[in-house]
Amino acid sequence: MAGNDMTRRRFLKTAMAAGGAGILASCGAANVPAQGGQGGQGAPAASGAITLDVLNENWGDIYNNLMTVIGDEFTKANPDITLAWNFDPDWSTKLATLTAAGTPPDACVMRAAPLTTFASKNALTDLSPLLQETGLTREDFITPLYDGAVLDGKLYAIPGGADYFSMYYNKDVYRDVGLDPDKPPTTFAELLAHSKEVLQKDTAGDIQRIGFNPSAGFFPHWAYIFGGELYDAENRKVTANNPANVEALTQLSAYVKELDVNKLAAFNQRPGTFEAGNPFASKQSAFIFDGFWTYEALDQHAPDIDYGVTFWPTLKGTPADRANYMIDGWHYSIPAGSKNTEAAWKFIRYAFIDNSAEMGIKTVNGTCVRSQFQPWEE
């Protein structure tokens, strides 16, 4: 599987606001919530045991609750270590605050963009010597995720979950407008053509049903699909004005203009993809661009929906085009000053290296360890 050297699900969501490369950040907690919760205090540890403060992004109850599962499995294997989770929507600010106060979490989620900031300020532990003890190297991981954890030759995080994106399409909507439910678009041009057939507006011009809903956060994906890039790693230079990036944005902007950006903004006030009554589940939207974790939300909120899953459309619709796909994802780091570095590394190695496939299966995430792809896929 090929991919570009960029990472992160939530990075994408905020990327556009910062001109195509955003940061979703924040970490750790002194006041940590009970597992699966949003606040409060974790269960007290037994006498002499270690409680790890773990800071994670807030992915919503469905995915937060799944994330705690791998922590429970780790504690079963290591009864002297328990995890106290803190799911924070602004984890990077939390991490910065706790680090400045000298009370960083023991382990925390990390993304490539904020990693650069924290590592350059010596706020993260260099994990290179610890990884060397495992015998694994860069080539043993999904390389775009691994490379996103390296700064100046030092490894500041372990790849946690890889986000392999696909296109979900609503077969019910296809039938409603006379499109073949077994022939989703394979090219960008077909995607726009199908979307125009699906589009419904009322007499006031308000969108009642949409095809492709252009999200600013997914612009980096389209930039790469169009053959562009956003960063020249060798020269450490942002390449936002790459001609292919400009072409992608030009075509996306033209489509948004047809929809009317104000009408689109009003339509997007509806529930999100992972909430009950979302437009995809209620036939108000024909497409979702997201990862395999979407299954979980659709199973819970729309068990009767008829949908298909296929490759993200490209320019030519050929398998060769997929080399331009962007692999997003997240990492795990140990903040500098962690009071339980050894136990934190033990958890990170257990969850994201030794049991990466199990972690992916139980938490609905993509393994980043190549040797564990087969059990994860099965």
Side-chain angles (χ1 to χ4, degrees), residues 95-136:
L95 177 58
T97 300
L98 292 173
T99 298
T103 58
D106 295 304
C108 66
V109 72
M110 187 51 60
R111 301 283 185 171
L115 181 146
T116 302
T117 300
F118 285 113
S120 65
K121 295 180 178 180
N122 300 315
L124 300 177
T125 300
D126 177 12
L127 304 180
S128 305
L130 295 173
L131 182 66
Q132 189 173 13
E133 292 175 4
T134 71
L136 299 181

Side-chain angles (χ1 to χ4, degrees), residues 1 123 136 278 307:
M1 178 176 290
L136 299 181
N278 69 77
Y307 65 88

Side-chain angles (χ1 to χ4, degrees), residues 185-192 313-317:
T186 61
T187 67
F188 180 74
E190 289 177 344
L191 175 65
L192 295 188
T314 59
L315 294 189
K316 298 178 181 179

Side-chain angles (χ1 to χ4, degrees), residues 136-167:
L136 299 181
T137 66
R138 173 181 182 270
E139 286 66 34
D140 293 302
F141 294 88
I142 298 301
T143 51
L145 270 294
Y146 183 95
D147 291 345
V150 175
L151 180 67
D152 295 331
K154 295 181 179 180
L155 181 71
Y156 288 101
I158 296 298
D163 298 344
Y164 307 115
F165 287 87
S166 300
M167 183 180 74

